[in-house]
């Protein structure tokens, strides 16, 4: 009963898309379970680069079927645009290959407007959201006022519910935030059109996956964002509004407990973050430019969704150990090891210091993270270019020592190492 879960072990953007792309070769289904189009997955196949926000990365793989679970907030405009882009690139997107849960909450232009108004009202205390309406859509779900994808199947009742929703948000926009209200009837016409295009893709994802799992088929759950952005366990309030951790896959897909086999935590060989919030190992200056790149390559550290330059720093194994615990990781996939070539030393944060005391774990989860100073171990760096290597034995001994030290600090084996952006630039470690 193999349900494999791929999660981000940092603040998102770890390169989950390509790991999912690799693992989906053996999966019947790939499934998104959280987040929405705030996510950004870049997958490079040959000379084509796809930037996906909402569709599971597995859609690139011709033999894989894809689902979007009830835990995902769906903006139908983005969904339809991505479906169209993929079709134009020759990738089949049909109801046989893609199903969307009837219970997934919908994002509307009113949610997006509210996200922008709320961020503006936060002034200097901005979260730095992606402005995709994610927080307001989840807020509506929790306050039991939200719209769900399944409501699109009945035009009359959907029209009524949508009108009430936009009018309600308009009150907030104009009275609380002095922002422009949304044009109600235009949104209704737009969403009725989306409904016609999406209706054949709406299904019971929980049931579909349960049948697949019961008959021994492999399902790959694809997490969006990362553990440190989890609503409950991340660097609150600088988090996203969903449960990004592995347990979120069960709720976000409607599955029971007994199916899980592998839980793969994806981490970069260094640390990155977009948006606000604490980042103990953050770097500036030349080292930051080395890690971030200058923006000329698709793999440089600039947000897939927002284009913002990412904050960068040394790998933080206090946080990685935390992610291993929270997710119950069975293995790690280490991405972008090639970026560390040419740096000497290579530093790893192994503990934190506060008031003269060293800590390997934090006393109250991630709260108060900004008060800790990282304690580093310096490892000798390697000069060699490693992008062409495919075997563990061929890696420079110093690069291997770096990986072994990560395993030791986190107590989780590293099974995959990516050494470049292409599909085949991966070293599998048995
Ligand atoms: P929201 O999810 O748009 O509400 O943004 C909340 C926080 O999560 C912000 O700091 C965003 O930059 C961050 N965030 C959301 N999605 C991603 C992602 O896919 N990768 C990295 N950061 C993200």
């Amino acid at each position: 009963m193999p349900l494999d879960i791929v999660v981000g072990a940092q603040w998102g953007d770890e390169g989950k898309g390509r790991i999912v792309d690799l693992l989906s070769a053996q999966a019947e289904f790939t499934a998104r379970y959280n987040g929405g189009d705030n996510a950004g997955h870049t997958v490079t196949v040959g000379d084509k680069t796809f930037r996906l926000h909402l569709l599971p990365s597995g859609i690139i793989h011709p033999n894989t079927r894809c689902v979007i679970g009830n835990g995902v907030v769906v903006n139908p405009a983005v969904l339809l645009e991505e479906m169209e882009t993929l079709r134009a690139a020759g990738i089949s997107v049909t109801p046989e290959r893609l199903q969307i849960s009837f219970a997934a909450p919908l994002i509307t232009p009113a949610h997006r407007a509210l996200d922008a108004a709320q961020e503006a009202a936060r002034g200097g205390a901005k979260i730095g959201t992606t402005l995709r309406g994610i927080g307001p859509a989840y807020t509506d779900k929790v306050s039991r006022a939200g719209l769900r994808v399944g409501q699109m199947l009945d035009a009359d009742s959907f029209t009524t519910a949508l009108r009430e929703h936009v009018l309600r948000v308009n009150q907030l926009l104009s009275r609380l935030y002095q922002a422009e209200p949304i044009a109600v009837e235009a949104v209704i016409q737009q969403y009725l059109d989306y409904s016609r295009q999406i209706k054949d893709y709406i299904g019971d994802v929980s049931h579909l996956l349960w049948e697949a799992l019961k008959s021994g088929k492999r399902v790959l759950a694809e997490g969006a964002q990362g553990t440190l952005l989890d609503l409950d366990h991340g660097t609150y309030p600088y988090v996203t509004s969903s449960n990004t951790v592995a347990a979120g896959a069960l709720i976000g897909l409607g599955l029971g407990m007994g199916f899980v086999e592998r839980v793969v935590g994806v981490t970069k060989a260094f640390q990155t973050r977009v948006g606000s919030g604490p980042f103990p190992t953050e770097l500036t200056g030349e080292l930051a430019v080395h890690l971030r790149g200058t923006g000329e390559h698709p793999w440089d550290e600039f947000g897939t969704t927002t284009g913002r330059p990412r904050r960068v720093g040394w790998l933080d194994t206090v946080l990685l150990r935390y992610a291993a615990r929270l997710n119950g990781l069975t293995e790690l996939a280490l991405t972008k090891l090639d970026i560390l070539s040419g740096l000497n030393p290579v530093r790893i944060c192994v503990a934190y210091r506060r008031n003269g005391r060293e800590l390997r774990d934090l006393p109250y989860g991630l709260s108060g993270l900004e008060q800790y100073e990282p304690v580093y171990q310096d490892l000798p760096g390697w000069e060699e270019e490693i992008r062409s290597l495919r075997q563990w034995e061929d890696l420079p001994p110093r690069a291997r020592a770096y990986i072994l030290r990560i395993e030791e600090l986190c107590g989780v084996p590293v099974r995959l190492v990516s050494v470049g952006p292409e599909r085949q630039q991966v070293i599998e470690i048995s």
Side-chain angles (χ1 to χ4, degrees):
M1 295 190 288
L3 171 66
D4 297 333
I5 306 174
V6 174
V7 287
Q10 300 173 304
W11 279 293
D13 309 317
E14 299 90 351
K16 296 176 290 295
R18 58 162 324 164
I19 303 298
V20 170
D21 179 51
L22 193 83
L23 298 180
S24 54
Q26 297 114 41
E28 176 84 7
F29 283 97
T30 62
R32 273 281 307 266
Y33 64 83
N34 76 297
D37 61 303
N38 50 349
H41 291 161
T42 308
V43 187
T44 307
V45 186
D47 58 356
K48 281 190 190 146
T49 295
F50 297 95
R51 288 198 178 78
L52 300 178
H53 297 286
L54 199 49
L55 289 174
S57 318
I59 196 90
I60 310 289
H61 218 282
N63 301 321
T64 307
R65 298 168 70 191
C66 291
V67 297
I68 294 179
N70 58 278
V72 177
V73 280
V74 176
N75 182 333
V78 176
L79 178 72
L80 288 164
E81 195 185 302
E82 285 188 5
M83 289 162 73
E84 219 24 72
T85 307
L86 290 178
R87 281 195 196 109
I91 292 168
S92 150
V93 187
T94 58
E96 286 65 46
R97 288 205 66 212
L98 175 68
Q99 286 282 293
I100 304 154
S101 168
F102 66 92
L106 276 172
I107 296 181
T108 71
H111 289 131
R112 289 181 65 132
L114 200 51
D115 200 353
Q118 288 173 341
E119 273 289 83
R122 286 184 188 114
K126 281 188 183 26
I127 289 169
T129 75
T130 58
L131 303 177
R132 300 298 170 111
I134 305 297
Y138 279 118
T139 303
D140 269 356
K141 164 181 160 171
V142 174
S143 62
R144 297 163 292 188
L147 299 163
R148 309 213 294 183
V149 167
Q151 286 175 269
M152 292 177 122
L153 292 169
D154 183 77
D156 289 343
S157 59
F158 182 54
T159 302
T160 307
L162 189 56
R163 183 174 286 114
E164 279 172 11
H165 155 75
V166 179
L167 289 174
R168 179 175 54 80
V169 177
N170 275 349
Q171 294 277 336
L172 291 173
L173 287 171
S174 52
R175 294 187 183 208
L176 202 55
Y177 297 105
Q178 286 76 51
E180 281 298 305
I182 297 291
V184 185
E185 296 309 316
V187 171
I188 291 173
Q189 288 319 309
Q190 200 179 36
Y191 272 61
L192 287 175
D193 180 45
Y194 294 154
S195 305
R196 284 187 281 275
Q197 298 183 61
I198 286 174
K199 67 177 180 6
D200 293 342
Y201 293 84
I202 302 173
D204 188 340
V205 162
S206 161
H207 196 269
L208 187 66
L209 294 185
W210 178 70
E211 290 211 309
L213 287 163
K214 262 199 325 171
S215 61
K217 290 182 176 142
R218 193 166 284 274
V219 174
L220 189 64
E222 175 181 344
Q225 291 85 47
T227 304
L228 308 175
L229 287 173
D230 183 275
L231 177 60
D232 291 88
H233 303 287
T235 46
Y236 192 88
Y238 300 104
V239 292
T240 191
S241 297
S242 65
N243 285 115
T244 59
V245 293
L250 302 182
I251 295 177
L253 295 171
L255 293 173
M257 312 274 262
F259 296 113
V260 182
E261 197 167 277
R262 295 166 74 185
V263 185
V264 184
V266 186
T267 175
K268 277 180 196 160
F270 49 98
Q271 206 78 19
T272 68
R273 167 163 217 174
V274 275
S276 320
F279 186 163
T281 61
E282 186 165 12
L283 290 167
T284 52
E286 258 175 55
L287 274 173
V289 174
H290 181 113
L291 294 175
R292 182 184 300 119
T294 50
E296 60 192 302
H297 309 111
W299 57 85
D300 286 347
E301 298 294 346
F302 289 76
T304 316
T305 303
T306 56
R308 292 179 285 183
R310 294 184 188 134
R311 301 159 66 193
V312 295
W314 295 117
L315 184 68
D316 187 331
T317 62
V318 177
L319 298 181
L320 195 53
R321 217 168 24 242
Y322 177 77
R325 167 159 69 86
L326 266 275
N327 293 295
L329 297 183
T330 60
E331 61 199 272
L332 282 167
L334 189 69
T335 60
K336 298 191 89 168
L337 184 68
D338 52 306
I339 301 296
L340 297 187
S341 288
L343 290 179
N344 201 5
V346 177
R347 310 191 94 181
I348 307 183
C349 167
V350 294
Y352 289 150
R353 186 178 296 116
R354 190 175 172 217
N355 299 332
R357 271 185 61 215
E358 257 186 39
L359 298 150
R360 265 176 59 87
D361 296 295
L362 292 160
Y364 302 109
L366 301 184
S367 47
L369 188 58
E370 60 286 341
Q371 299 159 25
Y372 297 91
E373 194 192 316
V375 176
Y376 289 110
Q377 177 184 1
D378 286 356
L379 295 180
W382 58 94
E383 281 301 319
E384 297 91 327
E385 169 62 71
I386 59 172
R387 288 191 162 178
S388 60
L389 306 181
R390 299 292 173 270
Q391 303 294 329
W392 167 252
E393 299 75 34
D394 296 338
L395 278 173
R398 290 173 167 195
R400 276 186 277 156
Y402 181 68
I403 296 169
L404 292 173
R405 185 67 181 128
I406 295 170
E407 287 190 343
E408 196 175 47
L409 286 163
C410 300
V412 180
V414 175
R415 293 269 181 253
L416 285 171
V417 179
S418 87
V419 291
E422 295 291 331
R423 226 181 197 173
Q424 72 279 10
Q425 288 177 302
V426 170
I427 297 174
E428 294 193 41
I429 308 171
S430 48

